[in-house]
Amino acid sequence: MNFFGHLVVARALGVGDDARLGSMLPDLLPMCGVRPASTSAGVQRGVTLHHRTDDVFHAAPPFRALEREGRSRLQAAGVRRGPSMAVAHVGVELLLDGVLADDDVAVADFQRTVPGSALVDWNSDEARARYDAMVSRLLAVDVPRVYADPDHVANALHRMLARRPRLALTDDETDAARTWLHHVRPRVEQARVPLTDGIVPAIRAQFTAA
């Protein structure tokens, strides 16, 4: 699950703003290459929620089915095994963020919550500035709404995976990924409820027990 999906789950569980931010941080921090010196108990509670959510989401049959079919289709289209696994996994997650972004209230909550760098104790002023700059870039391009567009997701995956030599997509593989993303997007939309609402009870049980 990507950061906006994590916020949607956090909202469903009714946690506070600090935990909502924390639920997104494990996905956001690698994007700007920084680490906090420490976080409040509330933010850390959200980080714990993030990991519980990923455990349940990645084991959910609808996600596993979409991911498995994606790998098969991508490899049949000539995408190498490693990149096909990455595209099938992350592609579904990004498309789900785009599907969920039709909820204007949730998007407004994201736009209000994600700039919360004041809730984090940073290692340096530079680290905080890098986080704030990343947030500004995300909001400027209208994330998460842009993930509703399979073409944007294909371009985003191309950029993301370019940093990993073994996973970097060739132009032909990016075209194959784009074709698959257009194919699978309606199925992600159909799976929206089981991929979000359907997993909340199991997440709540794990999160409460933690």
Side-chain angles (χ1 to χ4, degrees), residues 154-197:
N155 294 336
L157 287 167
H158 184 88
R159 290 192 302 272
M160 290 177 196
L161 298 178
R163 307 167 193 154
R164 307 278 298 276
R166 293 185 179 180
L167 300 180
L169 295 168
T170 66
D171 290 343
D172 287 345
E173 287 174 328
T174 301
D175 288 341
R178 191 183 313 277
T179 298
W180 172 71
L181 290 162
H182 277 277
H183 164 79
V184 78
R185 201 245 182 226
R187 295 193 57 204
V188 174
E189 189 160 7
Q190 292 168 0
R192 170 185 185 151
V193 171
L195 285 173
T196 52
D197 298 3

mmCIF file of all heavy atoms in Angstrom, residues 154-197:
data_model
loop_
_atom_site.group_PDB
_atom_site.id
_atom_site.type_symbol
_atom_site.label_atom_id
_atom_site.label_comp_id
_atom_site.label_asym_id
_atom_site.label_seq_id
_atom_site.Cartn_x
_atom_site.Cartn_y
_atom_site.Cartn_z
ATOM 1 N N ALA A 154 2.967 4.996 -15.075
ATOM 2 C CA ALA A 154 4.040 4.384 -15.863
ATOM 3 C C ALA A 154 5.296 5.247 -15.833
ATOM 4 O O ALA A 154 6.416 4.747 -15.646
ATOM 5 C CB ALA A 154 3.583 4.164 -17.299
ATOM 6 N N ASN A 155 5.126 6.557 -15.998
ATOM 7 C CA ASN A 155 6.277 7.457 -15.968
ATOM 8 C C ASN A 155 6.912 7.498 -14.580
ATOM 9 O O ASN A 155 8.138 7.546 -14.453
ATOM 10 C CB ASN A 155 5.844 8.867 -16.385
ATOM 11 C CG ASN A 155 5.401 8.930 -17.839
ATOM 12 O OD1 ASN A 155 5.805 8.098 -18.652
ATOM 13 N ND2 ASN A 155 4.567 9.898 -18.170
ATOM 14 N N ALA A 156 6.071 7.464 -13.553
ATOM 15 C CA ALA A 156 6.592 7.466 -12.184
ATOM 16 C C ALA A 156 7.394 6.199 -11.909
ATOM 17 O O ALA A 156 8.473 6.246 -11.296
ATOM 18 C CB ALA A 156 5.440 7.600 -11.185
ATOM 19 N N LEU A 157 6.895 5.059 -12.359
ATOM 20 C CA LEU A 157 7.620 3.802 -12.162
ATOM 21 C C LEU A 157 8.953 3.824 -12.911
ATOM 22 O O LEU A 157 9.966 3.334 -12.398
ATOM 23 C CB LEU A 157 6.767 2.627 -12.643
ATOM 24 C CG LEU A 157 5.585 2.263 -11.737
ATOM 25 C CD1 LEU A 157 4.643 1.309 -12.457
ATOM 26 C CD2 LEU A 157 6.072 1.662 -10.429
ATOM 27 N N HIS A 158 8.939 4.386 -14.114
ATOM 28 C CA HIS A 158 10.190 4.486 -14.873
ATOM 29 C C HIS A 158 11.224 5.279 -14.089
ATOM 30 O O HIS A 158 12.394 4.872 -13.995
ATOM 31 C CB HIS A 158 9.917 5.139 -16.224
ATOM 32 C CG HIS A 158 11.118 5.210 -17.111
ATOM 33 N ND1 HIS A 158 11.471 4.179 -17.971
ATOM 34 C CD2 HIS A 158 12.077 6.163 -17.271
ATOM 35 C CE1 HIS A 158 12.580 4.505 -18.607
ATOM 36 N NE2 HIS A 158 12.965 5.708 -18.206
ATOM 37 N N ARG A 159 10.801 6.406 -13.498
ATOM 38 C CA ARG A 159 11.728 7.224 -12.707
ATOM 39 C C ARG A 159 12.180 6.505 -11.441
ATOM 40 O O ARG A 159 13.361 6.497 -11.101
ATOM 41 C CB ARG A 159 11.068 8.554 -12.337
ATOM 42 C CG ARG A 159 10.851 9.507 -13.508
ATOM 43 C CD ARG A 159 10.482 10.889 -13.007
ATOM 44 N NE ARG A 159 9.287 10.871 -12.178
ATOM 45 C CZ ARG A 159 8.044 10.983 -12.650
ATOM 46 N NH1 ARG A 159 7.845 11.097 -13.948
ATOM 47 N NH2 ARG A 159 7.005 10.981 -11.825
ATOM 48 N N MET A 160 11.256 5.902 -10.740
ATOM 49 C CA MET A 160 11.587 5.215 -9.483
ATOM 50 C C MET A 160 12.600 4.088 -9.705
ATOM 51 O O MET A 160 13.590 3.966 -8.983
ATOM 52 C CB MET A 160 10.328 4.602 -8.862
ATOM 53 C CG MET A 160 9.324 5.566 -8.298
ATOM 54 S SD MET A 160 7.891 4.603 -7.705
ATOM 55 C CE MET A 160 6.676 5.910 -7.552
ATOM 56 N N LEU A 161 12.315 3.263 -10.689
ATOM 57 C CA LEU A 161 13.133 2.074 -10.900
ATOM 58 C C LEU A 161 14.458 2.395 -11.568
ATOM 59 O O LEU A 161 15.393 1.580 -11.518
ATOM 60 C CB LEU A 161 12.347 1.043 -11.713
ATOM 61 C CG LEU A 161 11.071 0.529 -11.035
ATOM 62 C CD1 LEU A 161 10.336 -0.458 -11.926
ATOM 63 C CD2 LEU A 161 11.387 -0.107 -9.685
ATOM 64 N N ALA A 162 14.585 3.561 -12.167
ATOM 65 C CA ALA A 162 15.854 3.962 -12.793
ATOM 66 C C ALA A 162 16.974 4.048 -11.764
ATOM 67 O O ALA A 162 18.153 3.936 -12.104
ATOM 68 C CB ALA A 162 15.689 5.300 -13.501
ATOM 69 N N ARG A 163 16.599 4.225 -10.483
ATOM 70 C CA ARG A 163 17.610 4.317 -9.421
ATOM 71 C C ARG A 163 18.166 2.948 -9.041
ATOM 72 O O ARG A 163 19.139 2.866 -8.302
ATOM 73 C CB ARG A 163 16.997 4.966 -8.171
ATOM 74 C CG ARG A 163 16.326 6.304 -8.429
ATOM 75 C CD ARG A 163 15.487 6.708 -7.237
ATOM 76 N NE ARG A 163 14.588 7.813 -7.557
ATOM 77 C CZ ARG A 163 13.432 8.055 -6.935
ATOM 78 N NH1 ARG A 163 13.036 7.264 -5.956
ATOM 79 N NH2 ARG A 163 12.683 9.077 -7.287
ATOM 80 N N ARG A 164 17.526 1.879 -9.522
ATOM 81 C CA ARG A 164 17.921 0.505 -9.177
ATOM 82 C C ARG A 164 18.379 -0.192 -10.447
ATOM 83 O O ARG A 164 17.537 -0.617 -11.246
ATOM 84 C CB ARG A 164 16.739 -0.236 -8.564
ATOM 85 C CG ARG A 164 16.073 0.470 -7.377
ATOM 86 C CD ARG A 164 16.808 0.239 -6.103
ATOM 87 N NE ARG A 164 16.819 -1.167 -5.763
ATOM 88 C CZ ARG A 164 15.822 -1.786 -5.110
ATOM 89 N NH1 ARG A 164 14.721 -1.116 -4.778
ATOM 90 N NH2 ARG A 164 15.922 -3.063 -4.807
ATOM 91 N N PRO A 165 19.681 -0.329 -10.670
ATOM 92 C CA PRO A 165 20.176 -0.863 -11.953
ATOM 93 C C PRO A 165 19.531 -2.186 -12.370
ATOM 94 O O PRO A 165 19.243 -2.388 -13.557
ATOM 95 C CB PRO A 165 21.678 -1.021 -11.706
ATOM 96 C CG PRO A 165 21.991 0.027 -10.682
ATOM 97 C CD PRO A 165 20.785 0.075 -9.770
ATOM 98 N N ARG A 166 19.272 -3.066 -11.430
ATOM 99 C CA ARG A 166 18.708 -4.365 -11.795
ATOM 100 C C ARG A 166 17.217 -4.300 -12.114
ATOM 101 O O ARG A 166 16.656 -5.234 -12.699
ATOM 102 C CB ARG A 166 18.939 -5.374 -10.670
ATOM 103 C CG ARG A 166 20.407 -5.721 -10.458
ATOM 104 C CD ARG A 166 20.564 -6.802 -9.424
ATOM 105 N NE ARG A 166 21.966 -7.164 -9.220
ATOM 106 C CZ ARG A 166 22.390 -8.096 -8.368
ATOM 107 N NH1 ARG A 166 21.505 -8.765 -7.637
ATOM 108 N NH2 ARG A 166 23.679 -8.363 -8.261
ATOM 109 N N LEU A 167 16.561 -3.209 -11.710
ATOM 110 C CA LEU A 167 15.130 -3.080 -11.916
ATOM 111 C C LEU A 167 14.777 -2.019 -12.951
ATOM 112 O O LEU A 167 13.619 -1.907 -13.350
ATOM 113 C CB LEU A 167 14.430 -2.735 -10.594
ATOM 114 C CG LEU A 167 14.582 -3.737 -9.454
ATOM 115 C CD1 LEU A 167 13.837 -3.248 -8.217
ATOM 116 C CD2 LEU A 167 14.080 -5.119 -9.860
ATOM 117 N N ALA A 168 15.769 -1.246 -13.391
ATOM 118 C CA ALA A 168 15.506 -0.139 -14.313
ATOM 119 C C ALA A 168 14.827 -0.653 -15.575
ATOM 120 O O ALA A 168 15.226 -1.660 -16.171
ATOM 121 C CB ALA A 168 16.808 0.571 -14.654
ATOM 122 N N LEU A 169 13.784 0.060 -15.983
ATOM 123 C CA LEU A 169 12.998 -0.335 -17.145
ATOM 124 C C LEU A 169 13.604 0.214 -18.433
ATOM 125 O O LEU A 169 13.970 1.389 -18.501
ATOM 126 C CB LEU A 169 11.570 0.192 -17.014
ATOM 127 C CG LEU A 169 10.717 -0.368 -15.867
ATOM 128 C CD1 LEU A 169 9.454 0.463 -15.711
ATOM 129 C CD2 LEU A 169 10.385 -1.828 -16.104
ATOM 130 N N THR A 170 13.684 -0.631 -19.453
ATOM 131 C CA THR A 170 14.016 -0.144 -20.785
ATOM 132 C C THR A 170 12.798 0.600 -21.340
ATOM 133 O O THR A 170 11.692 0.521 -20.784
ATOM 134 C CB THR A 170 14.377 -1.302 -21.727
ATOM 135 O OG1 THR A 170 13.212 -2.105 -21.931
ATOM 136 C CG2 THR A 170 15.497 -2.162 -21.135
ATOM 137 N N ASP A 171 12.977 1.284 -22.450
ATOM 138 C CA ASP A 171 11.842 1.977 -23.062
ATOM 139 C C ASP A 171 10.750 0.990 -23.460
ATOM 140 O O ASP A 171 9.550 1.261 -23.268
ATOM 141 C CB ASP A 171 12.304 2.776 -24.280
ATOM 142 C CG ASP A 171 13.147 3.988 -23.904
ATOM 143 O OD1 ASP A 171 13.119 4.395 -22.718
ATOM 144 O OD2 ASP A 171 13.840 4.525 -24.796
ATOM 145 N N ASP A 172 11.146 -0.148 -24.025
ATOM 146 C CA ASP A 172 10.148 -1.149 -24.415
ATOM 147 C C ASP A 172 9.415 -1.701 -23.193
ATOM 148 O O ASP A 172 8.192 -1.936 -23.241
ATOM 149 C CB ASP A 172 10.812 -2.295 -25.178
ATOM 150 C CG ASP A 172 11.220 -1.901 -26.594
ATOM 151 O OD1 ASP A 172 10.742 -0.855 -27.076
ATOM 152 O OD2 ASP A 172 12.021 -2.647 -27.204
ATOM 153 N N GLU A 173 10.132 -1.909 -22.095
ATOM 154 C CA GLU A 173 9.498 -2.416 -20.877
ATOM 155 C C GLU A 173 8.562 -1.374 -20.282
ATOM 156 O O GLU A 173 7.495 -1.723 -19.750
ATOM 157 C CB GLU A 173 10.574 -2.820 -19.868
ATOM 158 C CG GLU A 173 11.298 -4.099 -20.254
ATOM 159 C CD GLU A 173 12.460 -4.417 -19.330
ATOM 160 O OE1 GLU A 173 13.099 -3.470 -18.814
ATOM 161 O OE2 GLU A 173 12.752 -5.606 -19.131
ATOM 162 N N THR A 174 8.940 -0.112 -20.383
ATOM 163 C CA THR A 174 8.048 0.949 -19.899
ATOM 164 C C THR A 174 6.762 0.980 -20.720
ATOM 165 O O THR A 174 5.665 1.147 -20.178
ATOM 166 C CB THR A 174 8.746 2.318 -19.959
ATOM 167 O OG1 THR A 174 9.935 2.282 -19.157
ATOM 168 C CG2 THR A 174 7.834 3.422 -19.444
ATOM 169 N N ASP A 175 6.871 0.784 -22.029
ATOM 170 C CA ASP A 175 5.679 0.734 -22.879
ATOM 171 C C ASP A 175 4.795 -0.454 -22.495
ATOM 172 O O ASP A 175 3.557 -0.333 -22.460
ATOM 173 C CB ASP A 175 6.083 0.630 -24.345
ATOM 174 C CG ASP A 175 6.664 1.928 -24.894
ATOM 175 O OD1 ASP A 175 6.435 2.987 -24.270
ATOM 176 O OD2 ASP A 175 7.361 1.876 -25.923
ATOM 177 N N ALA A 176 5.420 -1.595 -22.212
ATOM 178 C CA ALA A 176 4.650 -2.770 -21.794
ATOM 179 C C ALA A 176 3.977 -2.523 -20.447
ATOM 180 O O ALA A 176 2.819 -2.923 -20.236
ATOM 181 C CB ALA A 176 5.564 -3.994 -21.716
ATOM 182 N N ALA A 177 4.689 -1.864 -19.548
ATOM 183 C CA ALA A 177 4.116 -1.520 -18.246
ATOM 184 C C ALA A 177 2.926 -0.579 -18.418
ATOM 185 O O ALA A 177 1.884 -0.740 -17.765
ATOM 186 C CB ALA A 177 5.171 -0.881 -17.357
ATOM 187 N N ARG A 178 3.066 0.381 -19.305
ATOM 188 C CA ARG A 178 1.983 1.343 -19.558
ATOM 189 C C ARG A 178 0.725 0.619 -20.060
ATOM 190 O O ARG A 178 -0.387 0.899 -19.601
ATOM 191 C CB ARG A 178 2.452 2.368 -20.588
ATOM 192 C CG ARG A 178 1.527 3.570 -20.751
ATOM 193 C CD ARG A 178 2.044 4.495 -21.858
ATOM 194 N NE ARG A 178 3.467 4.759 -21.733
ATOM 195 C CZ ARG A 178 3.988 5.691 -20.937
ATOM 196 N NH1 ARG A 178 3.196 6.443 -20.206
ATOM 197 N NH2 ARG A 178 5.302 5.857 -20.884
ATOM 198 N N THR A 179 0.919 -0.313 -20.988
ATOM 199 C CA THR A 179 -0.214 -1.073 -21.520
ATOM 200 C C THR A 179 -0.899 -1.863 -20.414
ATOM 201 O O THR A 179 -2.134 -1.886 -20.301
ATOM 202 C CB THR A 179 0.264 -2.024 -22.630
ATOM 203 O OG1 THR A 179 0.816 -1.249 -23.704
ATOM 204 C CG2 THR A 179 -0.876 -2.878 -23.153
ATOM 205 N N TRP A 180 -0.098 -2.523 -19.573
ATOM 206 C CA TRP A 180 -0.678 -3.304 -18.481
ATOM 207 C C TRP A 180 -1.396 -2.409 -17.469
ATOM 208 O O TRP A 180 -2.489 -2.763 -16.976
ATOM 209 C CB TRP A 180 0.408 -4.116 -17.769
ATOM 210 C CG TRP A 180 -0.129 -4.777 -16.525
ATOM 211 C CD1 TRP A 180 -0.992 -5.829 -16.472
ATOM 212 C CD2 TRP A 180 0.112 -4.384 -15.181
ATOM 213 N NE1 TRP A 180 -1.300 -6.133 -15.154
ATOM 214 C CE2 TRP A 180 -0.629 -5.261 -14.354
ATOM 215 C CE3 TRP A 180 0.897 -3.394 -14.591
ATOM 216 C CZ2 TRP A 180 -0.617 -5.154 -12.958
ATOM 217 C CZ3 TRP A 180 0.914 -3.284 -13.207
ATOM 218 C CH2 TRP A 180 0.169 -4.163 -12.403
ATOM 219 N N LEU A 181 -0.836 -1.264 -17.145
ATOM 220 C CA LEU A 181 -1.458 -0.363 -16.179
ATOM 221 C C LEU A 181 -2.830 0.101 -16.664
ATOM 222 O O LEU A 181 -3.779 0.192 -15.884
ATOM 223 C CB LEU A 181 -0.546 0.833 -15.909
ATOM 224 C CG LEU A 181 0.720 0.515 -15.115
ATOM 225 C CD1 LEU A 181 1.747 1.633 -15.268
ATOM 226 C CD2 LEU A 181 0.394 0.280 -13.644
ATOM 227 N N HIS A 182 -2.958 0.378 -17.966
ATOM 228 C CA HIS A 182 -4.267 0.740 -18.514
ATOM 229 C C HIS A 182 -5.235 -0.440 -18.407
ATOM 230 O O HIS A 182 -6.427 -0.252 -18.126
ATOM 231 C CB HIS A 182 -4.130 1.182 -19.973
ATOM 232 C CG HIS A 182 -3.730 2.609 -20.132
ATOM 233 N ND1 HIS A 182 -4.634 3.653 -20.090
ATOM 234 C CD2 HIS A 182 -2.503 3.181 -20.328
ATOM 235 C CE1 HIS A 182 -3.996 4.799 -20.256
ATOM 236 N NE2 HIS A 182 -2.706 4.547 -20.407
ATOM 237 N N HIS A 183 -4.712 -1.651 -18.624
ATOM 238 C CA HIS A 183 -5.552 -2.848 -18.546
ATOM 239 C C HIS A 183 -6.034 -3.093 -17.122
ATOM 240 O O HIS A 183 -7.217 -3.437 -16.907
ATOM 241 C CB HIS A 183 -4.757 -4.066 -19.040
ATOM 242 C CG HIS A 183 -5.363 -5.371 -18.659
ATOM 243 N ND1 HIS A 183 -6.438 -5.929 -19.327
ATOM 244 C CD2 HIS A 183 -5.055 -6.235 -17.641
ATOM 245 C CE1 HIS A 183 -6.757 -7.073 -18.754
ATOM 246 N NE2 HIS A 183 -5.948 -7.294 -17.738
ATOM 247 N N VAL A 184 -5.159 -2.936 -16.146
ATOM 248 C CA VAL A 184 -5.480 -3.353 -14.789
ATOM 249 C C VAL A 184 -6.188 -2.273 -13.985
ATOM 250 O O VAL A 184 -6.827 -2.562 -12.971
ATOM 251 C CB VAL A 184 -4.196 -3.813 -14.049
ATOM 252 C CG1 VAL A 184 -3.362 -2.618 -13.570
ATOM 253 C CG2 VAL A 184 -4.537 -4.737 -12.884
ATOM 254 N N ARG A 185 -6.125 -1.028 -14.427
ATOM 255 C CA ARG A 185 -6.711 0.047 -13.626
ATOM 256 C C ARG A 185 -8.185 -0.176 -13.286
ATOM 257 O O ARG A 185 -8.590 -0.012 -12.119
ATOM 258 C CB ARG A 185 -6.521 1.384 -14.341
ATOM 259 C CG ARG A 185 -6.619 2.560 -13.365
ATOM 260 C CD ARG A 185 -7.807 3.430 -13.681
ATOM 261 N NE ARG A 185 -7.844 4.569 -12.775
ATOM 262 C CZ ARG A 185 -8.949 4.960 -12.164
ATOM 263 N NH1 ARG A 185 -10.085 4.318 -12.353
ATOM 264 N NH2 ARG A 185 -8.926 6.002 -11.360
ATOM 265 N N PRO A 186 -9.059 -0.595 -14.249
ATOM 266 C CA PRO A 186 -10.457 -0.864 -13.876
ATOM 267 C C PRO A 186 -10.595 -1.970 -12.841
ATOM 268 O O PRO A 186 -11.497 -1.936 -11.999
ATOM 269 C CB PRO A 186 -11.108 -1.260 -15.213
ATOM 270 C CG PRO A 186 -10.229 -0.669 -16.262
ATOM 271 C CD PRO A 186 -8.844 -0.737 -15.703
ATOM 272 N N ARG A 187 -9.703 -2.943 -12.882
ATOM 273 C CA ARG A 187 -9.774 -4.044 -11.909
ATOM 274 C C ARG A 187 -9.356 -3.569 -10.519
ATOM 275 O O ARG A 187 -9.895 -4.049 -9.515
ATOM 276 C CB ARG A 187 -8.896 -5.203 -12.373
ATOM 277 C CG ARG A 187 -9.400 -5.832 -13.668
ATOM 278 C CD ARG A 187 -8.717 -7.136 -13.933
ATOM 279 N NE ARG A 187 -8.893 -8.062 -12.831
ATOM 280 C CZ ARG A 187 -8.067 -9.070 -12.555
ATOM 281 N NH1 ARG A 187 -7.006 -9.276 -13.331
ATOM 282 N NH2 ARG A 187 -8.280 -9.864 -11.539
ATOM 283 N N VAL A 188 -8.397 -2.645 -10.453
ATOM 284 C CA VAL A 188 -8.035 -2.068 -9.156
ATOM 285 C C VAL A 188 -9.230 -1.298 -8.594
ATOM 286 O O VAL A 188 -9.531 -1.372 -7.398
ATOM 287 C CB VAL A 188 -6.807 -1.149 -9.289
ATOM 288 C CG1 VAL A 188 -6.522 -0.425 -7.976
ATOM 289 C CG2 VAL A 188 -5.585 -1.959 -9.724
ATOM 290 N N GLU A 189 -9.933 -0.579 -9.462
ATOM 291 C CA GLU A 189 -11.117 0.162 -9.017
ATOM 292 C C GLU A 189 -12.195 -0.793 -8.507
ATOM 293 O O GLU A 189 -12.832 -0.534 -7.478
ATOM 294 C CB GLU A 189 -11.660 1.013 -10.158
ATOM 295 C CG GLU A 189 -12.751 1.971 -9.725
ATOM 296 C CD GLU A 189 -12.936 3.113 -10.696
ATOM 297 O OE1 GLU A 189 -12.308 3.099 -11.763
ATOM 298 O OE2 GLU A 189 -13.711 4.023 -10.367
ATOM 299 N N GLN A 190 -12.384 -1.908 -9.199
ATOM 300 C CA GLN A 190 -13.365 -2.887 -8.758
ATOM 301 C C GLN A 190 -12.980 -3.512 -7.420
ATOM 302 O O GLN A 190 -13.854 -3.892 -6.626
ATOM 303 C CB GLN A 190 -13.521 -3.985 -9.815
ATOM 304 C CG GLN A 190 -14.173 -3.519 -11.107
ATOM 305 C CD GLN A 190 -14.044 -4.545 -12.229
ATOM 306 O OE1 GLN A 190 -13.459 -5.614 -12.050
ATOM 307 N NE2 GLN A 190 -14.582 -4.214 -13.384
ATOM 308 N N ALA A 191 -11.681 -3.622 -7.167
ATOM 309 C CA ALA A 191 -11.188 -4.244 -5.931
ATOM 310 C C ALA A 191 -11.018 -3.242 -4.802
ATOM 311 O O ALA A 191 -10.526 -3.597 -3.733
ATOM 312 C CB ALA A 191 -9.856 -4.947 -6.202
ATOM 313 N N ARG A 192 -11.443 -2.004 -5.021
ATOM 314 C CA ARG A 192 -11.223 -0.933 -4.040
ATOM 315 C C ARG A 192 -11.709 -1.305 -2.640
ATOM 316 O O ARG A 192 -10.976 -1.136 -1.658
ATOM 317 C CB ARG A 192 -11.927 0.335 -4.516
ATOM 318 C CG ARG A 192 -11.994 1.449 -3.484
ATOM 319 C CD ARG A 192 -12.797 2.614 -3.995
ATOM 320 N NE ARG A 192 -12.802 3.730 -3.107
ATOM 321 C CZ ARG A 192 -12.932 4.980 -3.497
ATOM 322 N NH1 ARG A 192 -13.079 5.258 -4.781
ATOM 323 N NH2 ARG A 192 -12.928 5.967 -2.624
ATOM 324 N N VAL A 193 -12.935 -1.774 -2.524
ATOM 325 C CA VAL A 193 -13.504 -2.042 -1.201
ATOM 326 C C VAL A 193 -12.752 -3.162 -0.484
ATOM 327 O O VAL A 193 -12.317 -2.984 0.668
ATOM 328 C CB VAL A 193 -15.013 -2.341 -1.297
ATOM 329 C CG1 VAL A 193 -15.548 -2.833 0.047
ATOM 330 C CG2 VAL A 193 -15.760 -1.079 -1.731
ATOM 331 N N PRO A 194 -12.549 -4.335 -1.107
ATOM 332 C CA PRO A 194 -11.777 -5.361 -0.383
ATOM 333 C C PRO A 194 -10.338 -4.966 -0.107
ATOM 334 O O PRO A 194 -9.741 -5.443 0.860
ATOM 335 C CB PRO A 194 -11.851 -6.588 -1.300
ATOM 336 C CG PRO A 194 -12.267 -6.070 -2.633
ATOM 337 C CD PRO A 194 -13.094 -4.855 -2.367
ATOM 338 N N LEU A 195 -9.771 -4.079 -0.932
ATOM 339 C CA LEU A 195 -8.386 -3.662 -0.715
ATOM 340 C C LEU A 195 -8.241 -2.595 0.363
ATOM 341 O O LEU A 195 -7.134 -2.333 0.824
ATOM 342 C CB LEU A 195 -7.783 -3.131 -2.022
ATOM 343 C CG LEU A 195 -7.411 -4.169 -3.073
ATOM 344 C CD1 LEU A 195 -6.996 -3.492 -4.371
ATOM 345 C CD2 LEU A 195 -6.288 -5.073 -2.567
ATOM 346 N N THR A 196 -9.344 -1.986 0.765
ATOM 347 C CA THR A 196 -9.279 -0.960 1.817
ATOM 348 C C THR A 196 -10.214 -1.331 2.960
ATOM 349 O O THR A 196 -9.782 -1.844 3.985
ATOM 350 C CB THR A 196 -9.610 0.433 1.247
ATOM 351 O OG1 THR A 196 -10.854 0.373 0.539
ATOM 352 C CG2 THR A 196 -8.528 0.893 0.300
ATOM 353 N N ASP A 197 -11.511 -1.107 2.771
ATOM 354 C CA ASP A 197 -12.467 -1.395 3.837
ATOM 355 C C ASP A 197 -12.387 -2.851 4.287
ATOM 356 O O ASP A 197 -12.509 -3.154 5.483
ATOM 357 C CB ASP A 197 -13.898 -1.112 3.364
ATOM 358 C CG ASP A 197 -14.116 0.342 2.994
ATOM 359 O OD1 ASP A 197 -13.145 1.121 3.050
ATOM 360 O OD2 ASP A 197 -15.248 0.702 2.629
#
